[in-house]
Amino acid sequence: MEEILDPIILGQLLIGGLLAGALYALLASGLNLVFGVMRVINIAHAEFMLVGAFGAYVLYTAFGLHPLLALFIVVPAVFGFGWFVQHALVERVVGQPMLTSLLATYGLSIVLLNIGVLIFTSDFKGVPALTGSLVFGEFVLPKPRAVAALVSIVFAVGVYLFLERTRLGKAVRAVSEHPHVATICGIDTKRIRMLTFGLAGAMAGAAGTMLSMIYSFAPESGADFIQKCFAIIVIGGMGNFAGALYGGILLGVVEAFVGGFLSTQWAEATAYLLLVLVLLIRPTGLKGAALAR
Amino acid sequence: MSQALLDIRGLETAYGAVQVLFGVDMEVHAGEIVAIIGPNGAGKSTVIKSVIGLAPARAGTITFNGRDITREAPHHIPALGIGYVPQGRIVFARMTVEDNLEMGAFLIKDNAKRRQAVEAVFAQFPRLHERRSQLAGSLSGGEQQMLAIGRALMLDPKLVILDEPSLGLSPKYVDLIFEQLVGLKKQGRTLLMVEQNAARALELSDRAYALELGRNRFTGKGAELLANPDVRRMYLGGYGVRTGSAG
Ligand SMILES: Nc1ncnc2c1ncn2[C@@H]1O[C@H](COP(=O)(O)OP(=O)(O)OP(=O)(O)O)[C@@H](O)[C@H]1O
Ligand SMILES: [Mg+2]
């Protein structure tokens, strides 16, 4: 027991948790952005992440492109893919009962998963582009994790600032609050929804590109992530972008400590235990749900 | 008679299978204040929503400034010179006062010009200026209504359409809002408004339309309707009348 209360071990767990949490935060905030703007839960969100991961894998194995450079290709590509999916599929189920959009995006996730299996088989892949560790005194940061966390934070904060500060970003928030009133301000809500889905896709694609350096992944790997994302957006507050950022970091840290103190099996269940705990204390999540409408 | 700024002819509108308007006619001339009165569910808001494209017309025509806007998409409406203040003083509650106004000027892409437009409305509503960085959700009801009006003025519209601007406000704010409406007319704007406060609306307006079950019922000068015994009995006889002017 003394060993576990060693400040160095605690610090190491905290660092590991923050690094993992940053990636969760990036992934979940995209999902929450889409939910906030169009009240659609995109079950295929983790598959968008895997599109990014496999994109990075192909670029690395075929052209030797480092994932950090692959971001410049993958992120715009997944943005465009998200834009297209909104136009071709999701736009048809906006405003429909939740079950309709759940089924539509569930269908999309199955299609994407099977295309993934056709092209890449179900074997696990990885992109070992970055190795080694950064050492700060007693603490060790594996380089790929540190870089992934940094990139995640940059992306998430970038999108946050876009939403808070820019004309288009504010329009996204306006549409999420009152689409009809936003329309009558001259905002083309369909374009805003395509932009939103594209952005969420880009965020998932960036998360996937970073993930490819850290974990091994297969087309079926989405399920784990989407479940955690569901827990995170409820923990943070449904539809609340910043809430998902806090929720993601919180889950990363708590998972790390649970894994460190108990076992990795318990770490798997952490998301749900945390979810129940947060909802008992604050039924609308940490930052409050955006469900005024 | 000169051509109307807004001309509604034979307007029929339905929500899904439920038809709500059955051939409504209305004219609004430049510089007028026109009121729409009528009981709950008469279709007053629906007339407005048809004009701005939120509840597209099934039949009939709507002409604004000589242009057929019957099938115009709602996001094209503000650029034509129509400002809209929705029923229930809907503001973007999780955005600041300033950002709410900025959304009213969304179509101005140039940041500096958009900022200028915001400042111009702040000059007109000092109260909003004081609260510029507060969240709109934290304002009082009257302040939110002012914000909704300010937002509708951002693109300097010819015609301002207001849906129940005084609904649910304290008497002090009702007076203030009606003063603002007179001010808008003095600025040379044309106003079309729905009001449940029929007595005050009729006093203020040049002309008025009384709707019932989706049809025109009475039409005339505000003062004429106010003096009409049938109108008084049906629309001023207690329901919705908040001031003493209904007698
Ligand atoms: N979105 C909608 N879907 C279906 N029916 C609607 C919708 N909006 C209004 N209605 C119905 O259309 C009719 C007219 O509604 P409308 O809102 O135009 O009335 P109103 O005269 O503005 O009434 P109020 O004084 O209550 O605002 C009502 O019977 C209402 O129930
Ligand atoms: Mg109404």
Side-chain angles (χ1 to χ4, degrees):
Chain A
M1 209 57 197
E2 299 97 66
E3 209 176 276
I4 247 166
L5 291 176
D6 179 346
I8 297 193
I9 293 183
L10 290 180
Q12 193 65 52
L13 286 175
L14 180 64
I15 290 170
L18 288 172
L19 296 183
L23 195 65
Y24 288 161
L26 176 63
L27 188 63
S29 55
L31 184 67
N32 225 9
L33 179 63
V34 166
F35 179 76
V37 169
M38 54 194 110
R39 303 296 182 266
V40 166
I41 292 182
N42 177 19
I43 295 190
H45 191 63
E47 275 69 37
F48 279 78
M49 176 190 80
L50 288 170
V51 169
F54 278 104
Y57 170 78
V58 168
L59 290 170
Y60 183 73
T61 48
F63 307 104
L65 197 64
H66 194 283
L68 281 176
L69 295 175
L71 279 174
F72 291 95
I73 298 172
V74 169
V75 170
V78 188
F79 178 93
F81 180 53
W83 181 285
F84 170 76
V85 165
Q86 177 68 30
H87 175 75
L89 175 74
V90 183
E91 200 55 33
R92 291 160 209 269
V93 297
V94 168
Q96 304 279 329
M98 189 69 91
L99 187 61
T100 313
S101 57
L102 281 175
L103 285 174
T105 59
Y106 182 54
L108 177 66
S109 79
I110 291 174
V111 168
L112 291 176
L113 190 160
N114 283 293
I115 292 175
V117 173
L118 272 177
I119 303 177
F120 298 103
T121 75
S122 291
D123 296 343
F124 279 85
K125 306 283 194 290
V127 180
L130 200 58
T131 50
S133 295
L134 303 168
V135 179
F136 295 100
E138 308 275 1
F139 299 112
V140 181
L141 278 74
K143 269 188 202 163
R145 283 176 184 263
V147 168
L150 191 67
V151 167
S152 299
I153 290 166
V154 167
F155 262 88
V157 170
V159 174
Y160 179 75
L161 290 178
F162 166 76
L163 293 172
E164 287 294 318
R165 303 274 166 86
T166 69
R167 166 176 167 273
L168 265 184
K170 288 173 189 175
V172 170
R173 285 158 57 212
V175 171
S176 81
E177 270 203 63
H178 295 296
H180 284 166
V181 181
T183 304
I184 211 63
C185 290
I187 298 167
D188 182 344
T189 51
K190 181 182 173 190
R191 285 186 76 83
I192 291 291
R193 287 191 296 268
M194 294 196 296
L195 170 70
T196 301
F197 213 87
L199 263 182
M203 295 168 84
T209 308
M210 292 299 98
L211 170 117
S212 73
M213 303 192 301
I214 306 175
Y215 302 110
S216 51
F217 53 91
E220 293 88 345
S221 302
D224 252 8
F225 285 94
I226 198 68
Q227 284 168 19
K228 284 181 186 173
C229 280
F230 290 158
I232 290 168
I233 65 176
V234 179
I235 288 169
M238 293 287 283
N240 189 316
F241 185 88
L245 296 182
Y246 291 110
I249 304 245
L250 181 68
L251 178 62
V253 170
V254 176
E255 262 187 6
F257 278 93
V258 170
F261 282 93
L262 297 169
S263 71
T264 41
Q265 273 87 354
W266 275 101
E268 294 296 309
T270 304
Y272 296 98
L273 297 176
L274 192 62
L275 174 66
V276 171
L277 196 68
V278 169
L279 289 186
L280 280 177
I281 302 167
R282 273 186 70 98
T284 57
L286 295 175
K287 293 283 286 176
L291 283 171
R293 183 150 48 99
Chain B
M1 201 179 233
S2 66
Q3 202 196 11
L5 179 63
L6 178 71
D7 197 352
I8 302 171
R9 292 268 154 260
L11 176 63
E12 294 183 31
T13 305
Y15 296 104
V18 184
Q19 186 161 354
V20 171
L21 300 181
F22 302 86
V24 170
D25 297 318
M26 249 175 233
E27 278 178 16
V28 181
H29 294 266
E32 278 188 321
I33 297 185
V34 172
I36 307 175
I37 59 171
N40 290 101
K44 307 181 296 293
S45 294
T46 305
V47 171
I48 286 180
K49 286 185 192 159
S50 295
V51 172
I52 60 176
L54 285 180
R58 168 173 293 187
T61 56
I62 302 170
T63 317
F64 177 72
N65 219 1
R67 171 184 174 143
D68 184 353
I69 60 163
T70 315
R71 312 248 172 275
E72 201 67 73
H75 65 272
H76 291 148
I77 291 293
L80 301 177
I82 299 179
Y84 167 60
V85 181
Q87 182 168 350
R89 50 171 182 278
I90 301 171
V91 294
F92 302 116
R94 291 193 300 274
M95 296 171 73
T96 62
V97 167
E98 190 167 5
D99 286 350
N100 267 268
L101 292 181
E102 206 184 334
M103 286 299 99
F106 176 78
L107 291 176
I108 305 176
K109 292 207 172 107
D110 184 289
N111 287 338
K113 285 192 184 135
R114 202 167 60 250
R115 211 138 287 279
Q116 265 173 25
V118 171
E119 294 305 329
V121 166
F122 274 145
Q124 213 174 324
F125 297 89
R127 185 61 147 266
L128 295 180
H129 186 253
E130 281 167 29
R131 310 206 181 284
R132 64 189 298 164
S133 42
Q134 279 187 24
L135 292 185
S138 73
L139 300 183
S140 73
E143 289 166 343
Q144 288 183 349
Q145 185 60 279
M146 266 193 243
L147 180 57
I149 294 175
R151 186 180 58 202
L153 295 179
M154 288 304 299
L155 296 179
D156 193 18
K158 268 203 173 76
L159 173 67
V160 184
I161 302 183
L162 305 103
D163 198 345
E164 312 256 18
S166 78
L167 183 66
L169 297 185
S170 66
K172 184 184 104 192
Y173 272 113
V174 173
D175 291 343
L176 203 67
I177 293 293
F178 274 96
E179 269 170 42
Q180 296 282 1
L181 300 184
V182 174
L184 293 182
K185 183 184 160 110
K186 284 193 184 131
Q187 290 172 1
R189 297 186 209 277
T190 308
L191 265 55
L192 172 63
M193 64 167 175
V194 169
E195 245 314 324
Q196 34 70 54
N197 196 335
R200 290 211 53 177
L202 292 178
E203 275 170 20
L204 182 73
S205 54
D206 299 297
R207 286 185 313 105
Y209 293 87
L211 291 188
E212 202 171 291
L213 296 173
R215 291 185 170 83
N216 290 78
R217 177 72 196 254
F218 298 101
T219 308
K221 292 212 165 71
E224 279 169 20
L225 288 198
L226 206 51
N228 180 322
D230 287 332
V231 173
R232 293 185 72 89
R233 181 173 47 76
M234 293 177 65
Y235 302 110
L236 307 177
Y239 128 87
V241 179
R242 298 241 169 87
T243 63
S245 50

